[in-house]
Amino acid sequence: MLVRRGKLSRILAFVFIFALLLSIGVAGFAATKKTKVIIWGLNTTVPGGAQELAKQIKEKFSDIDLVPQVQVAGAGQTLESMQKLLTAIAAGNPPEITTIDRFVVGGWAARGALRPLDDLIERDKVDLSQWYPVCLDEAKFNGKVYAMSSGTDDRAMYYNRELMREAGMNPDAPPKTWDELMEAAKKLTVTDSRGNLKQIGFIPMFGNSWLYLYGWQNGGEFLSEDGKTATLNDPKIVEAIEWIVSVYDALGGAEKIQGFQASFQPGAQDPFLTGKVALMINGNWVLNTIARYRPDIDFAVAPAPVPKKRYLQEGEFKGKPQFITWSGGWAWAIPRGVKNVDAAWKVIKFMTGVEGHLAIAKGDYEYNKSLGNPYVPGMTSLKPADKALAEKYLPLLQRESLRKAYQVFSDLMKVSRYRPVTPVASELWTEHVRVVDLAIFHKMTPKEAADFCNANVQKALDTFWKSRK
């Protein structure tokens, strides 16, 4: 009996040890198992913010295996990259996260490429009031949020105070209306004895203004409220094109100006930095170029000049913002068909939160510092993140002109607009560029060009909506 009891004890001990080892093995396996999150568009192949962001994500989320992948040129922006994503979805292997230019979110969502995020936002009680409305609304389609906005920007007028003094102008009184801008452009344009341009006051389509800005400034709209009708030939937009043409013509014509622009170089030879261009409408990102190459330049930034009626807030502009700007930027989205939704969402929340933006800024700041360059923080879609970045990095800038300029861009976010959310955003963009080219080179009158390009956008709209029936 004692022998039997001893044998039974040995068996039970063996079973206990086996179970213990098995449990340790399972626990160990569980501890090392990670959820793979492939992310398209996070370029970690170059030093800077993306590398720091990826590093902090990996440190914070030990259960996630982050796999950044750089995709096709123009990823998240072009029809080519959308087709690539749709192909991956059809094959059953989309990335967990993709980058996307906000202005094409509507087009991608309409084609079923993206998963709406509203249920995740509601479940985690994400406070969307912390985002700039312009950034949040651009990433919606049919009332649903399809992407979480990350970085953003806006536009204003840079002016060279030294060149204004040389032209006998008051550098503390930049132009505020289109009429004043036209006069300033003429005064600041210098030609040689042969009439060749040596310096130009202002080029409407140089920098980053686009017809969107001028059209909206004049009260025009590019699409009907229901998004079904193209209105690129809105009389208000035609008036804006006519004003653009008048500026080109007053300064020698588009062909002559185009020839002058052919001599422009980027970086340290940027025409604004070298004094070839006195006034320009451009984005906040140019502040980094100035800080790096010409921190000593005597410059300032003001809201882009507007039609006189808007400035005086007369008629249809009564009660509307005196100045406006527009914003673009990027967002992160979860493609349709993704299985690891929770892991993807966890990463997106981090990237678009204060911590994520601070991580990007840290990486960019340290990289610039390693090169001996100053760093001007970019703008984000999240108001608390912008506040944190400004408090941390603006005091490090030696030049007050840079800090003041940053504040102008920041203040303008309250009156910023965004490009129309439409399934044909890319087509509308292409035609809104073409219409100006046709007009300034006098291939067509502004009205003829607007009608022609509007018909192209309408055709694209009709084709899309017909395919949805």
Side-chain angles (χ1 to χ4, degrees):
M1 192 65 182
L2 289 174
V3 173
R4 287 182 178 174
R5 284 180 177 171
K7 186 176 181 180
L8 180 60
S9 298
R10 288 196 295 275
I11 291 172
L12 289 174
F14 175 78
V15 169
F16 174 76
I17 292 171
F18 179 77
L20 180 62
L21 291 173
L22 184 62
S23 65
I24 292 173
V26 169
F29 177 74
T32 57
K33 185 180 180 183
K34 294 186 176 185
T35 302
K36 180 177 288 189
V37 173
I38 296 175
I39 178 169
W40 282 7
L42 184 64
N43 186 358
T44 56
T45 62
V46 293
Q51 281 191 358
E52 180 63 28
L53 180 63
K55 173 175 167 283
Q56 291 197 22
I57 291 172
K58 290 179 179 179
E59 290 173 352
K60 188 174 182 70
F61 305 112
S62 59
D63 58 335
I64 288 177
D65 177 21
L66 188 73
V67 184
Q69 293 182 354
V70 180
Q71 290 299 303
V72 297
Q77 189 176 40
T78 63
L79 292 175
E80 180 189 5
S81 61
M82 180 176 68
Q83 189 56 49
K84 186 177 180 66
L85 180 62
L86 289 172
T87 301
I89 291 171
N93 61 350
E96 276 69 24
I97 302 171
T98 184
T99 186
I100 184 166
D101 196 330
R102 287 202 304 269
F103 91 105
V104 297
V105 166
W108 290 35
R111 290 168 176 83
L114 307 177
R115 179 199 191 281
L117 305 175
D118 302 83
D119 57 333
L120 303 171
I121 291 169
E122 185 176 354
R123 184 194 69 188
D124 293 353
K125 296 181 172 53
V126 177
D127 183 3
L128 296 183
S129 69
Q130 298 298 305
W131 269 257
Y132 293 109
V134 65
C135 304
L136 190 65
D137 292 346
E138 192 176 25
K140 290 181 179 176
F141 182 70
N142 279 346
K144 294 183 178 179
V145 178
Y146 280 90
M148 290 301 287
S149 181
S150 52
T152 195
D153 55 37
D154 62 15
R155 289 135 184 87
M157 182 182 69
Y158 290 77
Y159 56 100
N160 186 316
R161 290 165 49 85
E162 183 180 347
L163 295 183
M164 289 178 72
R165 275 192 292 270
E166 290 177 0
M169 301 169 64
N170 181 356
D172 296 322
K176 294 181 176 61
T177 68
W178 283 1
D179 294 340
E180 293 177 359
L181 180 55
M182 171 72 93
E183 291 307 308
K186 291 177 184 175
K187 289 180 181 176
L188 289 162
T189 296
V190 180
T191 59
D192 63 18
S193 58
R194 295 183 175 180
N196 298 314
L197 288 167
K198 294 174 62 179
Q199 170 187 307
I200 195 163
F202 176 70
I203 307 174
M205 303 311 288
F206 172 75
N208 202 293
S209 51
W210 306 102
L211 178 58
Y212 276 130
L213 179 63
Y214 302 115
W216 286 324
Q217 284 180 326
N218 202 40
E221 296 294 339
F222 294 80
L223 276 180
S224 62
E225 285 190 15
D226 65 2
K228 300 288 181 67
T229 304
T231 57
L232 193 50
N233 57 355
D234 179 332
K236 296 294 183 184
I237 294 174
V238 174
E239 283 182 7
I241 300 169
E242 289 171 345
W243 179 79
I244 292 170
V245 172
S246 72
V247 177
Y248 275 92
D249 289 349
L251 302 181
E255 288 188 12
K256 184 176 182 177
I257 293 171
Q258 186 182 49
F260 183 56
Q261 284 186 248
S263 67
F264 291 179
Q265 299 292 322
Q269 296 304 310
D270 181 285
F272 182 74
L273 303 186
T274 57
K276 285 187 172 182
V277 174
L279 311 165
M280 69 171 181
I281 296 174
N282 218 327
N284 57 292
W285 58 85
V286 176
L287 295 177
N288 262 308
T289 304
I290 293 174
R292 179 177 180 182
Y293 295 111
R294 280 295 309 278
D296 60 322
I297 190 172
D298 188 5
F299 86 104
V301 168
V306 296
K308 190 174 181 180
K309 284 182 66 177
R310 175 181 280 276
Y311 180 70
L312 297 175
Q313 296 187 289
E314 294 177 342
E316 67 191 281
F317 296 109
K318 189 175 182 180
K320 293 188 176 179
Q322 192 173 37
F323 297 101
I324 61 169
T325 183
W326 70 273
S327 298
W330 294 80
W332 297 106
I334 300 177
R336 179 168 55 85
V338 164
K339 296 181 177 62
N340 302 319
V341 169
D342 283 340
W345 175 241
K346 192 186 293 186
V347 172
I348 286 178
K349 277 202 304 180
F350 180 82
M351 292 194 296
T352 57
V354 174
E355 284 183 278
H357 289 299
L358 285 172
I360 293 171
K362 178 175 185 285
D364 287 338
Y365 169 76
E366 291 180 349
Y367 178 59
N368 276 282
K369 187 179 179 182
S370 71
L371 300 175
N373 297 328
Y375 168 69
V376 182
M379 294 168 61
T380 80
S381 305
L382 189 63
K383 288 179 273 188
D386 272 359
K387 183 173 184 291
L389 293 177
E391 289 175 349
K392 185 168 185 175
Y393 292 105
L394 290 187
L396 303 180
L397 292 171
Q398 294 184 357
R399 297 283 176 173
E400 187 181 13
S401 56
L402 290 167
R403 292 192 292 272
K404 283 185 174 179
Y406 183 95
Q407 192 60 50
V408 171
F409 285 110
S410 180
D411 290 344
L412 281 169
M413 283 302 294
K414 293 191 288 287
V415 291
S416 193
R417 295 198 54 166
Y418 56 92
R419 288 163 286 185
V421 176
T422 169
V424 299
S426 296
E427 293 87 341
L428 179 55
W429 175 266
T430 299
E431 296 301 324
H432 115 296
V433 173
R434 180 184 300 182
V435 66
V436 174
D437 285 342
L438 291 171
I440 64 175
F441 286 100
H442 294 285
K443 304 290 186 187
M444 295 181 181
T445 67
K447 178 67 166 62
E448 290 170 347
D451 286 340
F452 174 76
C453 293
N454 190 68
N456 291 335
V457 178
Q458 189 60 54
K459 183 179 179 182
L461 274 171
D462 293 343
T463 300
F464 175 80
W465 290 114
K466 187 177 179 181
S467 70
R468 298 288 129 173
K469 290 181 179 178

